Every structure is written in structure tokens, then in C-alpha cells.
Amino acid sequence: MTTVRDDNFSQSEVDKFNELAHRWWDPMGPQKALHALNPPRLRYVTDRVSLRGSRVLDVGCGGGLLSEAMARAGAAVTAIDLAPDLLKIARLHQLESGVDVEYRQAPIEALVDAGEAPFDAITCMEMLEHVPDPMSVVDACARLLKPGGRLFVSTLNRTPAAFALAIVGAEYIARLLPKGTHQYREFIKPSELAGWLRTAGLRLEDVGGLLYEPWRNAARLSSRTEVNYLACALKPA
């Protein structure tokens, strides 16, 4: 495995998401597409692991949308992010919802260094395309999984279709996302992700599409992976 690093973040990316914190839980706010993506993301996870009684880590948890959803499904959730304003919003929403999630401000590599106990499942959604070294995150996730545990990733494919829809369409035409949310060069091809998973000692089990339909502000699982896609990888026992 590769050497774990603890500086794997971009301060400009952290600042960008901090600015979105105050409306993170607004289903019609700047993150409304994320609200639409959350139910199929959760379904993708629950179709492959039983969350009830499982210990789960949510990497790059943002304001806690998926973290709370997994906790409601019965998981003991630890959620980490580097944006302090987002974590503040997540904790405030937790007070309103009563859903138990343990939020921490830390990079995943720091959990490895601290000897964190392994998890049954790890989710890393819409996060890898925002860090300088995504392989470091994948490697840290592998180290923190129990044998037989699964890693779930969602990200954006580096294709012309993704550029047209996720950047030009979503950021500049429909204005579903703030301009500059994504950088095309940071998008990740499934073959690249598969290589990182293999290097980290994980076995890729599935790659599926995640299709967002802005005309009805809804999302669904799909076989089409040219824009958003999900992947599931197993840590062999």
C-alpha cells in the first residue's frame, strides 16, 4: 500500500464548501441536486450491506445528508469532513433531527495514523474529485475497512458528457450548482478508480450509474455511467 499522507486537501475547496454551509439542508437551495441524489445513494449502499448494527464511516460527509440517512437505517455512523462550517451545520441539524451521528473534523488519513478501529462499511460520496491525491483517500479507506467490509464511492466520470452536464449545464445554464464547484480535470474515469482500488487491495464488485433529472429534481440508479457513477469494492477476508 502507499504511504498515508495527512495534507491531502485543498484549502480553496474547503473554503468553497464552507460558503455553502448555511443552506446545506435547504432542499431547494444550492445543494438541491445533492438532496435528490441522496435516496438512490442510500439505496445503492443498503442493497449491498445491512446497515443495522454496522459501524460505518462517511468520508467527506458535508452537512450530514447521507450520514443521517444511514444512521436512521440503524448504522453507528462516524462522519468526517474538513470544512468546519459544514460540520457546525451538521451538528446543529442533528440537534433538530435527533439522529445520532459522531461528527469529526479530520482527514481520513489522520484516522489511520491514530489507529482507528476498522469499519464494516465506508462511504465516500462526491469527494474524491475534490482532493489533490484521491489514491491516498482510497488507500486510507482500505486500511480502515474490516476484512469483508465494503467501500462505496460516487464521483464524476471524465467524459465530454460530464463536462457538458455537470459543469456547463449545472453550473452555468441551469445554475443548479455555484460556478466553480467542479473542475473537469479532477473528474475520475472508472478505469482509474478501479486501478486505485486494486492497488489498495480491494476488489471492485460493481460500477453503476447515478442519473440526475433536473426537470423533476430527482435522481435514480442507472446503467449509464458517463456522468455520475457509483462503485462498490470489497476488502477480501
Side-chain angles (χ1 to χ4, degrees):
M1 289 187 175
T2 57
T3 301
V4 172
R5 54 186 293 182
D6 58 7
D7 61 345
N8 188 23
F9 68 95
S10 164
Q11 188 59 50
S12 63
E13 289 290 294
V14 173
D15 293 343
K16 178 168 61 183
F17 286 101
N18 268 331
E19 292 173 4
L20 299 171
H22 67 291
R23 295 191 64 193
W24 198 268
W25 280 91
D26 179 358
M28 298 308 295
Q31 295 301 309
K32 73 175 185 177
L34 196 61
H35 282 260
L37 292 171
N38 206 48
R41 292 191 311 179
L42 179 65
R43 178 185 163 194
Y44 187 83
V45 173
T46 57
D47 281 351
R48 289 162 178 82
V49 296
S50 174
L51 289 179
R52 186 158 302 279
S54 295
R55 188 165 182 262
V56 178
L57 177 66
D58 189 15
V59 182
C61 65
L65 289 179
L66 183 61
S67 308
E68 283 202 10
M70 293 192 295
R72 287 193 196 95
V77 179
T78 299
I80 60 173
D81 205 284
L82 292 178
D85 292 349
L86 275 178
L87 289 171
K88 180 179 178 181
I89 291 299
R91 292 181 179 116
L92 286 173
H93 193 271
Q94 180 181 32
L95 293 175
E96 297 176 3
S97 68
V99 177
D100 186 19
V101 176
E102 180 189 359
Y103 289 106
R104 302 186 201 172
Q105 184 179 346
I108 186 171
E109 293 90 346
L111 272 64
V112 175
D113 291 341
E116 181 75 30
F119 294 87
D120 298 296
I122 297 176
T123 57
C124 183
M125 306 294 196
E126 285 82 48
M127 185 267 199
L128 287 181
E129 68 271 23
H130 296 289
V131 297
D133 184 359
M135 175 62 215
S136 175
V137 174
V138 171
D139 183 69
C141 288
R143 295 182 186 222
L144 287 173
L145 272 177
K146 292 179 181 178
R150 284 177 170 84
L151 169 64
F152 297 92
V153 173
S154 69
T155 189
L156 284 154
N157 203 344
R158 196 169 66 254
T159 63
F163 178 80
L165 294 176
I167 295 181
V168 177
E171 297 182 19
Y172 289 86
I173 297 176
R175 297 183 181 179
L176 296 170
L177 297 169
K179 293 178 182 178
T181 297
H182 295 112
Q183 301 296 322
Y184 179 70
R185 64 180 179 273
E186 306 299 339
F187 290 2
I188 300 166
K189 290 183 175 294
S191 59
E192 295 168 339
L193 177 60
W196 300 337
L197 293 168
R198 284 194 301 270
T199 300
L202 301 178
R203 187 172 75 228
L204 181 64
E205 290 188 320
D206 181 76
V207 176
L210 184 58
L211 186 64
Y212 176 62
E213 299 171 334
W215 57 90
R216 64 187 188 98
N217 190 35
R220 58 183 172 88
L221 299 175
S222 166
S223 61
R224 299 177 59 179
T225 61
E226 62 265 35
V227 183
N228 295 81
Y229 68 95
L230 291 146
C232 172
L234 172 74
K235 183 170 184 176

